[in-house]
Amino acid sequence: MLSMTDLDLRGKRVLIREDFNVPIKEGIITSDQRLLAALPTLRQALEAGAGVMVMSHLGRPEEGSQDLRYSLAPVAHYLAKQLDFPVRFEPYYLEGVTVQPGELVVLENVRFNLGEKTNVPALAKKLAALCDIFVMDAFGTAHREQASTVGVAHYAPVAAAGPLLLKELAALKQAMNHPQRPIVVIVGGAKISTKISLLTHLLSLADYLIPGGGIANTFLKAQGQNVGVSLVEDSMLEQVHMIREEAKKMNCEILLPTDAVVGKTFTEGCPAFNKTLAHISQDDMILDIGPETVHRYMSVIHQAKTIIWNGPLGVFEFPQFSYGTRSIAIAISNSDAFSIAGGGETLAAIDQYDLLSKLSYVSTGGAAFLACLEGQVLPAVAALTHQD
């Protein structure tokens, strides 16, 4: 792939696709992790003397409608405070944008444009016509074949990969292609059905696989353990048996909880109780891993040379059920292993425990992160690799 750093940007109109899909409440950005990750790319282009336009999606507005709840105006305001360059917001841009060298223009939500999601060529051509150089820097949307991620790359005079995108790909390559062993993979979340291909693919890589959350509950039930009224996918029990058999062939040890923190209801004020699995009641709901399990998992993490983490170990949003996720997150951050983490809930946990700087790499991507772990080729990366 051609890199943005390989190009002379001075005096050029540069259109950069970033992932500014950040949480905004009443006009206030509540997590700026993705914005902070993109700032070095924007600064580099501006310092090189380019006239920079940046585009992104935000939320899930109805395509073609100007739903101001999903406007990127707050992002433009944030960037203006962070950058020592002129920044302006442009709501209407498809017929052309005037941009001066050293100026940043934030374009309105690309999903306000009809044809974005389906990669309509007419829209992609209009986006490409805005620039001399297109830079794809949004790893978090690289799995989507859309006008602002893939289509524009085909029609722009020059298309290149941005520093953040290349940094993400390099970290994943280190974890997947050249890992040091032992390798510990932690995959949490509510449903195993959404991560079955991921789990299957990672068996050939991992020395230890730690399922968490509802995924762990389904593993426990598959081996005959009573899990009370915990979240379980009964339709996936046969698949779990197949994963367990495959893990044996691959010499991958699957670690499961031996104790749990349970409650009677899924509510923030629900009392929490530590129980061994043998003492789980029919009306108990497993909402976190117990202290004995935490100790076992931490021991394995301490020995690891590579750690891949996606998904919490319990309902960490409720303080009484956050001990497991918090303890494992801290253990990963204190490890000497190369550690890479990604996924929406994982990022939220890292933010909550202020561990961003203590992991080797934290990916800005959710679905794109998972797609790479599954061995998929990302469409936006392919578009940069196979240019005419």
Side-chain angles (χ1 to χ4, degrees):
M1 286 184 292
L2 190 64
S3 168
M4 186 185 89
T5 56
D6 298 330
L7 302 172
D8 180 5
L9 305 182
R10 181 167 300 278
K12 300 291 177 58
R13 297 174 302 150
V14 178
L15 176 62
I16 303 177
R17 176 58 157 100
E18 292 289 0
D19 183 6
F20 291 159
N21 187 29
V22 294
I24 298 177
K25 187 174 182 180
E26 297 179 355
I28 305 298
I29 296 168
T30 58
S31 174
D32 63 353
Q33 189 167 313
R34 285 175 171 164
L35 301 177
L36 291 172
L39 281 173
T41 299
L42 301 180
R43 283 198 184 98
Q44 186 173 336
L46 290 163
E47 288 169 357
V52 181
M53 296 159 283
V54 63
M55 60 179 175
S56 175
H57 76 288
L58 177 66
R60 297 180 178 179
E62 182 182 348
E63 192 174 278
S65 69
Q66 301 283 323
D67 189 338
L68 296 184
R69 292 177 300 170
Y70 303 104
S71 175
L72 282 171
V75 171
H77 183 68
Y78 173 94
L79 294 175
K81 288 184 174 181
Q82 297 292 324
L83 295 166
D84 294 324
F85 294 89
V87 177
R88 80 171 199 269
F89 177 63
E90 183 58 66
Y92 305 105
Y93 51 88
L94 290 181
E95 302 308 318
V97 175
T98 300
V99 56
Q100 301 301 320
E103 179 187 23
L104 177 68
V105 178
V106 180
L107 307 182
E108 182 57 287
N109 194 333
V110 292
R111 290 192 178 170
F112 287 2
N113 302 318
L114 280 172
E116 161 64 7
K117 291 183 180 179
T118 51
N119 191 18
V120 171
L123 175 59
K125 289 177 181 178
K126 284 190 174 185
L127 294 173
L130 297 175
C131 66
D132 302 308
I133 298 169
F134 167 67
V135 175
M136 177 59 185
D137 202 41
F139 174 78
T141 59
H143 63 296
R144 296 192 177 109
E145 191 168 347
Q146 299 181 343
S148 68
T149 59
V150 172
V152 63
H154 290 305
Y155 298 112
V158 178
L164 178 57
L165 176 66
L166 291 174
K167 189 177 179 182
E168 297 260 14
L169 294 174
L172 280 158
K173 183 177 180 181
Q174 182 174 342
M176 301 297 288
N177 296 357
H178 308 290
Q180 289 186 283
R181 294 185 179 277
I183 303 167
V184 176
V185 175
I186 303 165
V187 180
K191 295 185 176 182
I192 190 172
S193 56
T194 62
K195 297 186 177 179
I196 193 72
S197 58
L198 173 66
L199 291 167
T200 304
H201 185 77
L202 290 176
L203 290 178
S204 61
L205 177 74
D207 296 296
Y208 298 94
L209 174 63
I210 300 178
I215 295 175
N217 296 341
T218 303
F219 269 87
L220 289 171
K221 186 166 184 179
Q223 67 178 24
Q225 174 62 49
N226 172 39
V227 293
V229 291
S230 305
L231 177 63
V232 167
E233 285 188 279
D234 289 317
S235 63
M236 300 303 295
L237 295 178
E238 187 58 38
Q239 289 274 16
V240 169
H241 288 302
M242 293 171 62
I243 289 173
R244 288 169 61 87
E245 290 303 312
E246 191 66 20
K248 292 176 184 177
K249 296 176 187 176
M250 297 289 182
N251 293 317
C252 173
E253 184 177 351
I254 298 177
L255 303 178
L256 293 174
T258 52
D259 63 339
V261 183
V262 303
K264 300 299 184 183
T265 59
F266 190 83
T267 55
E268 189 167 2
C270 170
F273 303 93
N274 291 333
K275 289 190 176 184
T276 62
L277 295 185
H279 293 91
I280 299 289
S281 303
Q282 292 297 331
D283 61 346
D284 278 336
M285 188 180 294
I286 298 174
L287 299 173
D288 193 14
I289 54 175
E292 179 181 286
T293 301
V294 168
H295 181 76
R296 285 174 49 236
Y297 290 0
M298 288 176 66
S299 178
V300 170
I301 288 168
H302 180 70
Q303 301 170 34
K305 296 297 183 185
T306 302
I307 302 169
I308 300 171
W309 177 28
N310 170 252
L313 281 297
V315 187
F316 71 95
E317 300 91 338
F318 298 163
Q320 70 273 36
F321 301 115
S322 65
Y323 173 74
T325 298
R326 180 177 181 274
S327 298
I328 297 306
I330 291 173
I332 295 171
S333 70
N334 289 336
S335 170
D336 293 330
F338 175 78
S339 55
I340 182 169
E345 287 188 316
T346 313
L347 295 185
I350 291 168
D351 271 348
Q352 184 167 313
Y353 306 130
D354 195 23
L355 298 174
L356 179 62
S357 63
K358 297 181 180 179
L359 276 72
S360 303
Y361 196 77
V362 177
S363 174
T364 59
F369 178 76
L370 296 180
C372 278
L373 292 182
E374 290 175 19
Q376 297 180 28
V377 176
L378 304 180
V381 174
L384 297 174
T385 309
H386 302 103
Q387 296 182 65
D388 294 332

